[in-house]
Amino acid sequence: MAPQRVVPLSLRKPTHAVCVVGVEMLVDVHSDVPRGARSFEVAGSSGLEVIVFYDPERAREPTGRFRWPLHAGADVVVSVDRASKDVNDLKVKVSYFGEPESQALGHGVLYLTGVDISLDVDRDRTGQVKRSRGDKKTWHWGPEGYGAILLVNCDRDSLMSRDRDFANSQLGSLADLQDMSPMVLSCHGPDELFDSHKLVLKVPSSDSKRVGVFCARGGNALSDYKQVLGPHNLSYKVERQSGEQEIRFYVEGLTYPDADFSGLVTLSISLVDAGSLPEVSLFTDSVVFRVAPWIMTPNTQPPMDLYVCSVVDINGSNGKFLDDMSYLAMKANCKLIICPRIENRNDRWIQDEMEFGYIEAPHKSFPVVFDSPRNRGLKEFPFKKILGPDFGYVTREILLSGASSLDSFGNLDVSPPVTVGSKEYPLGRILFGSSFPNSGGRRMAKVVRNFLYAQRVQAPVELYSDWLSVGHVDEFLSFVPTSDKKGFRLLLASPRACLKLFQEKREAGYGEAAQFEGLDRVAKRSINEMLADTSLQSDSLYVQKCIDWNREVLKRELGLTEGDIIDVPQLFSLKGPYADAFFPDMVNMVVLGKYLGIPKPYGPIIDGRCCLEEEVRSLLEPLGLHCIFIDDYLFYHELLGEIHCGTNVRRKPFPFKWWHMVP
């Protein structure tokens, strides 16, 4: 280890210094030397390690009385391995000589006080703070990596608070400490030393708005915890009590990684000589944290809660749809949560309003809802009804202009874990829709895109969805879990597959079987009529090209083969430059484990069964999936949405620890 600081010796009076355990100190034996001196001897008291470094080309290690020639430029380095019991209880003596057998021409004496100072965090990611002499200043990814982790304290543990916990400079609940990362300051040494020296905890100005630090003073009352660092406090003189050897701190994240924030924050402790003018920092120990990313969960993760809205419109109440959701949740063994009209203000598109994810550190994990900037009837629901104890909240607002349809979170999805070549994505990859590359169409807002990219652990893929009226990726893709080695299939809406199916049915003699059979107030269209409709054929060809473009991107970016993709029959029609689903969009389904809530397509009835439903069953049920077709026509499809748009699912977090991956 390179010497940290230099202490000069004097022939006239003893020198006093503090030596920190584990830190080498260079003793300057060359600045104040007696006239005629040619060599020196050095001796140290018990508890000190004294080492002389020399250039073997200029000198050789002496024998006998160990006198070192001054002209050889030898350096004396001292270190201590434990804290002193008393001030100045360690001594280094340097004696200077002229001729080899002469008496000493002078002496320099250094009195040392050993002090053990260390700032420690959960560097090894075990959930516990352990004393570390290793590298605490850098953060490394991977299973062999190291570095502490910080949660954004974005839940609300105190029911008396109106905002998230990180907005409060006073602790509102002792439970809130569990959301923070512990940090321990060890300060072993004589009490008298700290009368003239102080310990100063610091955060760089650039990090101060990212992190908050509370100091624990030994009690169980809220008043025993004081915020000492944060946006308005860059340094804190530690209030060390007599005999106190450990001081505990709790650290909270204030913001997620983003375009202007890598996620890394640094804290440091300095031992300062308060008796010198100006004050001198004798030693600094630093630690680094990485703020935990927000992580989405794909359809392949087990469902926990199914959310749906109760609404009333000109068609009446959607009570039958709610009953169907209750049955589906019961089959999937997850909890159904119905958002009442008074809370949703008749906004049924709960998938568009928010996305569920989670954050995790070795000591704690909790779900976090990401509130979209769409700000319609459900605007207040995530903040007022979901934010709470151990349930966090994050949002990104669009300040200069209103949100577009592509900013709704039906346009946000995530793949299951994938491997692309040699690159692994153990938490999957985020997917969201955008305009065609280099075109001037609609895109998801930059503040949202920046946030998603900055999380790093689910490297986003931008797809082309601007060809749709609503413009959401859930209108043409979904993932379903399977029990085979792959673990999932990608479902893509396919006009090609639908037209092929209808042609097969026509050739089998069922050309007069009609689409929309069983629906009142909806014009029936026979298979013959649909296949003869040149406009529908042209629209389908255009839509298929758009989906095929995305198909190639998904294959490339997710490492998929054609065998990993299932084409689900679906027709679209164009209204101006944009496409809408011609009948209920079956890919726009809710996935609850092996139970799929699929929009009822009202396809042509052949031998008493809907041929579209039968086709989908033949594709999915051999994979161990259960297809439950649910009528969403009046309350969702006619309003340009489907079951996935009108539901939302909170899922179990990944068992994989995000810090084990290498982005």
Side-chain angles (χ1 to χ4, degrees), residues 460-491:
V461 177
E462 294 193 42
L463 300 174
Y464 173 37
S465 66
D466 191 33
W467 53 274
L468 288 153
S469 293
V470 177
H472 294 178
V473 294
D474 67 356
E475 298 178 73
F476 66 88
L477 69 82
S478 184
F479 295 91
V480 293
T482 61
S483 57
D484 56 12
K485 183 178 179 180
K486 186 67 179 181
F488 71 91
R489 294 291 186 276
L490 167 64
L491 308 186

Side-chain angles (χ1 to χ4, degrees), residues 280-300:
V280 176
S281 177
L282 304 179
F283 167 76
T284 297
D285 197 18
S286 299
V287 296
V288 65
F289 289 90
R290 179 175 288 278
V291 176
W294 179 78
I295 301 172
M296 284 182 66
T297 49
N299 286 352
T300 47

Side-chain angles (χ1 to χ4, degrees), residues 21 48 65 86 98 142 159 173 206 240 288 291 311-312 326 330 332 341 361 372 463 468 490 606-607 618 628 632 642:
V21 172
L48 272 175
R65 298 185 62 183
D86 300 298
L159 299 180
S173 167
S206 59
R240 180 186 180 275
V288 65
V291 176
V311 295
V312 176
S326 178
M330 180 270 295
R341 188 181 179 191
S372 81
L463 300 174
L468 288 153
L490 167 64
I606 297 174
D607 295 332
S618 71
I628 301 174
D632 76 340
E642 308 288 358

Side-chain angles (χ1 to χ4, degrees), residues 196-347:
S196 57
H197 295 73
K198 61 184 180 180
L199 295 165
V200 181
L201 189 67
K202 297 180 181 179
V203 59
S205 176
S206 59
D207 290 347
S208 62
K209 61 182 178 179
R210 319 291 191 191
V211 66
V213 180
F214 285 79
C215 183
R217 301 313 302 171
N220 291 320
L222 295 178
S223 58
D224 293 321
Y225 298 87
K226 179 176 70 171
Q227 189 180 69
V228 296
L229 293 183
H232 306 294
N233 298 300
L234 303 184
S235 65
Y236 166 64
K237 179 184 175 183
V238 178
E239 299 170 355
R240 180 186 180 275
Q241 306 300 320
S242 178
E244 193 170 25
Q245 296 185 343
E246 283 192 353
I247 300 173
R248 197 167 184 86
F249 297 89
Y250 292 88
V251 188
E252 62 178 351
L254 304 183
T255 184
Y256 285 91
D258 216 320
D260 60 347
F261 176 41
S262 70
L264 295 175
V265 295
T266 299
L267 299 173
S268 64
I269 190 73
S270 294
L271 178 65
V272 177
D273 183 354
S276 64
L277 290 176
E279 295 182 346
V280 176
S281 177
L282 304 179
F283 167 76
T284 297
D285 197 18
S286 299
V287 296
V288 65
F289 289 90
R290 179 175 288 278
V291 176
W294 179 78
I295 301 172
M296 284 182 66
T297 49
N299 286 352
T300 47
Q301 288 301 108
M304 300 177 71
D305 300 322
L306 172 64
Y307 287 77
V308 64
C309 291
S310 173
V311 295
V312 176
D313 60 20
I314 58 173
N315 296 306
S317 166
N318 69 337
K320 176 60 170 61
F321 183 80
L322 300 181
D323 290 342
D324 292 336
M325 291 298 106
S326 178
Y327 172 77
L328 189 64
M330 180 270 295
K331 296 293 290 184
N333 194 31
C334 70
K335 181 180 179 181
L336 177 65
I337 298 174
I338 297 177
C339 174
R341 188 181 179 191
I342 193 173
E343 294 175 0
N344 65 53
R345 294 183 291 181
N346 232 33
D347 179 2

Side-chain angles (χ1 to χ4, degrees), residues 2-15:
Q4 185 174 14
R5 62 193 183 98
V6 179
V7 177
L9 286 182
S10 171
L11 298 175
R12 294 175 296 280
K13 61 179 181 179
T15 302

Side-chain angles (χ1 to χ4, degrees), residues 352-353 371-376 379 395-409 411 442-448 470 472:
D352 287 344
E353 182 60 38
D371 190 2
S372 81
R374 70 189 281 267
N375 294 341
R376 291 169 60 181
K379 174 183 177 180
T395 191
R396 287 295 181 269
E397 293 292 342
I398 302 172
L399 300 179
L400 299 180
S401 61
S404 77
S405 176
L406 271 66
D407 297 314
S408 297
F409 284 171
N411 192 34
R442 296 170 296 175
R443 297 189 73 189
M444 181 178 280
K446 186 176 181 180
V447 291
V448 179
V470 177
H472 294 178

Side-chain angles (χ1 to χ4, degrees), residues 15 18 30 144 258 260 281 285 381 420 518 527 561 568 570 574 596-597 641:
T15 302
V18 174
H30 300 286
E144 304 301 323
D258 216 320
D260 60 347
S281 177
D285 197 18
F381 179 71
V420 184
I527 291 177
T561 66
V568 176
Q570 187 65 49
L574 293 181
L596 312 179

